[in-house]
PDB file of all heavy atoms in Angstrom:
ATOM      1  N   GLY A   1     -56.383 238.966  13.638  1.00  0.00           N
ATOM      2  CA  GLY A   1     -56.383 239.666  14.911  1.00  0.00           C
ATOM      3  C   GLY A   1     -55.989 238.812  16.101  1.00  0.00           C
ATOM      4  O   GLY A   1     -55.920 239.309  17.224  1.00  0.00           O
ATOM      5  N   ALA A   2     -55.729 237.507  15.863  1.00  0.00           N
ATOM      6  CA  ALA A   2     -55.333 236.624  16.957  1.00  0.00           C
ATOM      7  C   ALA A   2     -53.919 236.974  17.414  1.00  0.00           C
ATOM      8  O   ALA A   2     -53.093 237.430  16.624  1.00  0.00           O
ATOM      9  CB  ALA A   2     -55.384 235.160  16.509  1.00  0.00           C
ATOM     10  N   PRO A   3     -53.612 236.786  18.698  1.00  0.00           N
ATOM     11  CA  PRO A   3     -52.256 237.075  19.180  1.00  0.00           C
ATOM     12  C   PRO A   3     -51.234 236.146  18.534  1.00  0.00           C
ATOM     13  O   PRO A   3     -51.560 235.007  18.162  1.00  0.00           O
ATOM     14  CB  PRO A   3     -52.352 236.840  20.685  1.00  0.00           C
ATOM     15  CG  PRO A   3     -53.501 235.899  20.862  1.00  0.00           C
ATOM     16  CD  PRO A   3     -54.477 236.255  19.776  1.00  0.00           C
ATOM     17  N   LEU A   4     -50.012 236.621  18.400  1.00  0.00           N
ATOM     18  CA  LEU A   4     -48.945 235.760  17.889  1.00  0.00           C
ATOM     19  C   LEU A   4     -48.630 234.668  18.900  1.00  0.00           C
ATOM     20  O   LEU A   4     -48.449 233.498  18.546  1.00  0.00           O
ATOM     21  CB  LEU A   4     -47.688 236.594  17.612  1.00  0.00           C
ATOM     22  CG  LEU A   4     -46.505 235.804  17.060  1.00  0.00           C
ATOM     23  CD1 LEU A   4     -46.742 235.461  15.591  1.00  0.00           C
ATOM     24  CD2 LEU A   4     -45.206 236.594  17.215  1.00  0.00           C
ATOM     25  N   LEU A   5     -48.591 235.054  20.183  1.00  0.00           N
ATOM     26  CA  LEU A   5     -48.259 234.121  21.250  1.00  0.00           C
ATOM     27  C   LEU A   5     -49.353 234.148  22.298  1.00  0.00           C
ATOM     28  O   LEU A   5     -49.765 235.217  22.747  1.00  0.00           O
ATOM     29  CB  LEU A   5     -46.923 234.509  21.896  1.00  0.00           C
ATOM     30  CG  LEU A   5     -46.468 233.669  23.088  1.00  0.00           C
ATOM     31  CD1 LEU A   5     -46.105 232.253  22.641  1.00  0.00           C
ATOM     32  CD2 LEU A   5     -45.279 234.328  23.789  1.00  0.00           C
ATOM     33  N   ASP A   6     -49.814 232.966  22.701  1.00  0.00           N
ATOM     34  CA  ASP A   6     -50.869 232.860  23.708  1.00  0.00           C
ATOM     35  C   ASP A   6     -50.434 231.838  24.758  1.00  0.00           C
ATOM     36  O   ASP A   6     -50.299 230.651  24.469  1.00  0.00           O
ATOM     37  CB  ASP A   6     -52.185 232.420  23.044  1.00  0.00           C
ATOM     38  CG  ASP A   6     -53.362 232.478  24.009  1.00  0.00           C
ATOM     39  OD1 ASP A   6     -53.216 233.079  25.088  1.00  0.00           O
ATOM     40  OD2 ASP A   6     -54.422 231.931  23.672  1.00  0.00           O
ATOM     41  N   VAL A   7     -50.173 232.323  25.957  1.00  0.00           N
ATOM     42  CA  VAL A   7     -49.772 231.478  27.083  1.00  0.00           C
ATOM     43  C   VAL A   7     -50.991 231.322  27.985  1.00  0.00           C
ATOM     44  O   VAL A   7     -51.560 232.316  28.439  1.00  0.00           O
ATOM     45  CB  VAL A   7     -48.602 232.116  27.864  1.00  0.00           C
ATOM     46  CG1 VAL A   7     -48.236 231.268  29.079  1.00  0.00           C
ATOM     47  CG2 VAL A   7     -47.392 232.305  26.944  1.00  0.00           C
ATOM     48  N   ALA A   8     -51.414 230.085  28.239  1.00  0.00           N
ATOM     49  CA  ALA A   8     -52.666 229.855  28.970  1.00  0.00           C
ATOM     50  C   ALA A   8     -52.476 228.858  30.105  1.00  0.00           C
ATOM     51  O   ALA A   8     -52.247 227.661  29.869  1.00  0.00           O
ATOM     52  CB  ALA A   8     -53.744 229.344  28.010  1.00  0.00           C
ATOM     53  N   GLY A   9     -52.529 229.346  31.337  1.00  0.00           N
ATOM     54  CA  GLY A   9     -52.531 228.482  32.515  1.00  0.00           C
ATOM     55  C   GLY A   9     -51.291 227.625  32.678  1.00  0.00           C
ATOM     56  O   GLY A   9     -51.381 226.485  33.146  1.00  0.00           O
ATOM     57  N   VAL A  10     -50.126 228.156  32.325  1.00  0.00           N
ATOM     58  CA  VAL A  10     -48.904 227.348  32.359  1.00  0.00           C
ATOM     59  C   VAL A  10     -48.401 227.194  33.795  1.00  0.00           C
ATOM     60  O   VAL A  10     -48.221 228.171  34.520  1.00  0.00           O
ATOM     61  CB  VAL A  10     -47.809 227.976  31.474  1.00  0.00           C
ATOM     62  CG1 VAL A  10     -46.453 227.310  31.723  1.00  0.00           C
ATOM     63  CG2 VAL A  10     -48.194 227.843  30.010  1.00  0.00           C
ATOM     64  N   THR A  11     -48.180 225.940  34.180  1.00  0.00           N
ATOM     65  CA  THR A  11     -47.663 225.606  35.505  1.00  0.00           C
ATOM     66  C   THR A  11     -46.422 224.733  35.351  1.00  0.00           C
ATOM     67  O   THR A  11     -46.430 223.768  34.578  1.00  0.00           O
ATOM     68  CB  THR A  11     -48.718 224.857  36.339  1.00  0.00           C
ATOM     69  OG1 THR A  11     -49.832 225.727  36.572  1.00  0.00           O
ATOM     70  CG2 THR A  11     -48.155 224.414  37.681  1.00  0.00           C
ATOM     71  N   VAL A  12     -45.379 225.097  36.089  1.00  0.00           N
ATOM     72  CA  VAL A  12     -44.127 224.323  36.090  1.00  0.00           C
ATOM     73  C   VAL A  12     -43.709 224.112  37.536  1.00  0.00           C
ATOM     74  O   VAL A  12     -43.652 225.062  38.325  1.00  0.00           O
ATOM     75  CB  VAL A  12     -43.002 225.050  35.328  1.00  0.00           C
ATOM     76  CG1 VAL A  12     -41.690 224.276  35.441  1.00  0.00           C
ATOM     77  CG2 VAL A  12     -43.375 225.244  33.863  1.00  0.00           C
ATOM     78  N   ARG A  13     -43.421 222.857  37.888  1.00  0.00           N
ATOM     79  CA  ARG A  13     -42.938 222.538  39.230  1.00  0.00           C
ATOM     80  C   ARG A  13     -41.600 221.824  39.141  1.00  0.00           C
ATOM     81  O   ARG A  13     -41.382 220.992  38.265  1.00  0.00           O
ATOM     82  CB  ARG A  13     -43.938 221.637  39.968  1.00  0.00           C
ATOM     83  CG  ARG A  13     -45.219 222.316  40.389  1.00  0.00           C
ATOM     84  CD  ARG A  13     -46.087 221.374  41.222  1.00  0.00           C
ATOM     85  NE  ARG A  13     -47.261 222.049  41.771  1.00  0.00           N
ATOM     86  CZ  ARG A  13     -48.425 222.162  41.149  1.00  0.00           C
ATOM     87  NH1 ARG A  13     -48.557 221.642  39.937  1.00  0.00           N
ATOM     88  NH2 ARG A  13     -49.441 222.792  41.706  1.00  0.00           N
ATOM     89  N   PHE A  14     -40.717 222.163  40.069  1.00  0.00           N
ATOM     90  CA  PHE A  14     -39.456 221.451  40.226  1.00  0.00           C
ATOM     91  C   PHE A  14     -39.469 220.846  41.630  1.00  0.00           C
ATOM     92  O   PHE A  14     -39.168 221.520  42.610  1.00  0.00           O
ATOM     93  CB  PHE A  14     -38.261 222.394  40.069  1.00  0.00           C
ATOM     94  CG  PHE A  14     -38.196 223.067  38.720  1.00  0.00           C
ATOM     95  CD1 PHE A  14     -38.394 224.427  38.596  1.00  0.00           C
ATOM     96  CD2 PHE A  14     -37.920 222.325  37.580  1.00  0.00           C
ATOM     97  CE1 PHE A  14     -38.334 225.047  37.361  1.00  0.00           C
ATOM     98  CE2 PHE A  14     -37.859 222.936  36.330  1.00  0.00           C
ATOM     99  CZ  PHE A  14     -38.066 224.298  36.219  1.00  0.00           C
ATOM    100  N   GLY A  15     -39.891 219.578  41.719  1.00  0.00           N
ATOM    101  CA  GLY A  15     -40.072 218.965  43.018  1.00  0.00           C
ATOM    102  C   GLY A  15     -41.210 219.674  43.737  1.00  0.00           C
ATOM    103  O   GLY A  15     -42.320 219.805  43.223  1.00  0.00           O
ATOM    104  N   GLY A  16     -40.930 220.193  44.933  1.00  0.00           N
ATOM    105  CA  GLY A  16     -41.956 220.898  45.684  1.00  0.00           C
ATOM    106  C   GLY A  16     -42.008 222.385  45.396  1.00  0.00           C
ATOM    107  O   GLY A  16     -42.822 223.104  46.000  1.00  0.00           O
ATOM    108  N   ILE A  17     -41.167 222.866  44.489  1.00  0.00           N
ATOM    109  CA  ILE A  17     -41.117 224.290  44.173  1.00  0.00           C
ATOM    110  C   ILE A  17     -41.990 224.581  42.958  1.00  0.00           C
ATOM    111  O   ILE A  17     -41.838 223.943  41.905  1.00  0.00           O
ATOM    112  CB  ILE A  17     -39.673 224.749  43.898  1.00  0.00           C
ATOM    113  CG1 ILE A  17     -38.814 224.536  45.134  1.00  0.00           C
ATOM    114  CG2 ILE A  17     -39.635 226.214  43.458  1.00  0.00           C
ATOM    115  CD1 ILE A  17     -37.340 224.788  44.906  1.00  0.00           C
ATOM    116  N   VAL A  18     -42.895 225.532  43.094  1.00  0.00           N
ATOM    117  CA  VAL A  18     -43.741 225.941  41.978  1.00  0.00           C
ATOM    118  C   VAL A  18     -43.068 227.129  41.298  1.00  0.00           C
ATOM    119  O   VAL A  18     -43.050 228.241  41.831  1.00  0.00           O
ATOM    120  CB  VAL A  18     -45.157 226.329  42.455  1.00  0.00           C
ATOM    121  CG1 VAL A  18     -46.016 226.734  41.253  1.00  0.00           C
ATOM    122  CG2 VAL A  18     -45.800 225.170  43.206  1.00  0.00           C
ATOM    123  N   ALA A  19     -42.483 226.883  40.118  1.00  0.00           N
ATOM    124  CA  ALA A  19     -41.772 227.938  39.396  1.00  0.00           C
ATOM    125  C   ALA A  19     -42.730 228.833  38.619  1.00  0.00           C
ATOM    126  O   ALA A  19     -42.500 230.042  38.495  1.00  0.00           O
ATOM    127  CB  ALA A  19     -40.744 227.321  38.450  1.00  0.00           C
ATOM    128  N   LEU A  20     -43.787 228.246  38.062  1.00  0.00           N
ATOM    129  CA  LEU A  20     -44.841 229.000  37.383  1.00  0.00           C
ATOM    130  C   LEU A  20     -46.176 228.436  37.841  1.00  0.00           C
ATOM    131  O   LEU A  20     -46.364 227.213  37.876  1.00  0.00           O
ATOM    132  CB  LEU A  20     -44.721 228.887  35.859  1.00  0.00           C
ATOM    133  CG  LEU A  20     -43.522 229.547  35.191  1.00  0.00           C
ATOM    134  CD1 LEU A  20     -43.475 229.209  33.702  1.00  0.00           C
ATOM    135  CD2 LEU A  20     -43.551 231.066  35.382  1.00  0.00           C
ATOM    136  N   ASP A  21     -47.121 229.332  38.158  1.00  0.00           N
ATOM    137  CA  ASP A  21     -48.394 228.913  38.723  1.00  0.00           C
ATOM    138  C   ASP A  21     -49.549 229.513  37.919  1.00  0.00           C
ATOM    139  O   ASP A  21     -49.926 230.660  38.105  1.00  0.00           O
ATOM    140  CB  ASP A  21     -48.465 229.365  40.189  1.00  0.00           C
ATOM    141  CG  ASP A  21     -49.717 228.864  40.901  1.00  0.00           C
ATOM    142  OD1 ASP A  21     -50.464 228.059  40.309  1.00  0.00           O
ATOM    143  OD2 ASP A  21     -49.944 229.294  42.042  1.00  0.00           O
ATOM    144  N   GLN A  22     -50.058 228.730  36.960  1.00  0.00           N
ATOM    145  CA  GLN A  22     -51.224 229.134  36.169  1.00  0.00           C
ATOM    146  C   GLN A  22     -51.005 230.492  35.474  1.00  0.00           C
ATOM    147  O   GLN A  22     -51.879 231.367  35.504  1.00  0.00           O
ATOM    148  CB  GLN A  22     -52.466 229.201  37.058  1.00  0.00           C
ATOM    149  CG  GLN A  22     -52.927 227.857  37.601  1.00  0.00           C
ATOM    150  CD  GLN A  22     -53.575 227.002  36.527  1.00  0.00           C
ATOM    151  OE1 GLN A  22     -54.413 227.458  35.747  1.00  0.00           O
ATOM    152  NE2 GLN A  22     -53.160 225.745  36.461  1.00  0.00           N
ATOM    153  N   VAL A  23     -49.873 230.651  34.836  1.00  0.00           N
ATOM    154  CA  VAL A  23     -49.543 231.921  34.177  1.00  0.00           C
ATOM    155  C   VAL A  23     -50.223 231.998  32.820  1.00  0.00           C
ATOM    156  O   VAL A  23     -50.123 231.073  31.999  1.00  0.00           O
ATOM    157  CB  VAL A  23     -48.018 232.083  34.021  1.00  0.00           C
ATOM    158  CG1 VAL A  23     -47.681 233.298  33.153  1.00  0.00           C
ATOM    159  CG2 VAL A  23     -47.363 232.223  35.390  1.00  0.00           C
ATOM    160  N   SER A  24     -50.920 233.113  32.577  1.00  0.00           N
ATOM    161  CA  SER A  24     -51.611 233.342  31.302  1.00  0.00           C
ATOM    162  C   SER A  24     -51.384 234.776  30.840  1.00  0.00           C
ATOM    163  O   SER A  24     -51.474 235.707  31.642  1.00  0.00           O
ATOM    164  CB  SER A  24     -53.121 233.102  31.446  1.00  0.00           C
ATOM    165  OG  SER A  24     -53.410 231.774  31.829  1.00  0.00           O
ATOM    166  N   PHE A  25     -51.071 234.934  29.551  1.00  0.00           N
ATOM    167  CA  PHE A  25     -51.038 236.252  28.917  1.00  0.00           C
ATOM    168  C   PHE A  25     -50.901 236.033  27.406  1.00  0.00           C
ATOM    169  O   PHE A  25     -50.581 234.926  26.953  1.00  0.00           O
ATOM    170  CB  PHE A  25     -49.894 237.127  29.446  1.00  0.00           C
ATOM    171  CG  PHE A  25     -48.507 236.620  29.133  1.00  0.00           C
ATOM    172  CD1 PHE A  25     -47.824 237.054  28.005  1.00  0.00           C
ATOM    173  CD2 PHE A  25     -47.886 235.714  29.983  1.00  0.00           C
ATOM    174  CE1 PHE A  25     -46.544 236.583  27.723  1.00  0.00           C
ATOM    175  CE2 PHE A  25     -46.612 235.245  29.713  1.00  0.00           C
ATOM    176  CZ  PHE A  25     -45.938 235.686  28.574  1.00  0.00           C
TER     177      PHE A  25
END
């Protein structure tokens, strides 16, 4: 019953730009 894909708190920055901010699903 576990999900196939689990994204938890993903953050990506390019210099001062935050492209992803704590994304979870």
Side-chain angles (χ1 to χ4, degrees):
L4 181 75
L5 177 68
D6 188 13
V7 177
V10 168
T11 296
V12 176
R13 289 185 173 88
F14 300 112
I17 298 172
V18 181
L20 292 174
D21 185 7
Q22 293 287 314
V23 172
S24 299
F25 65 94

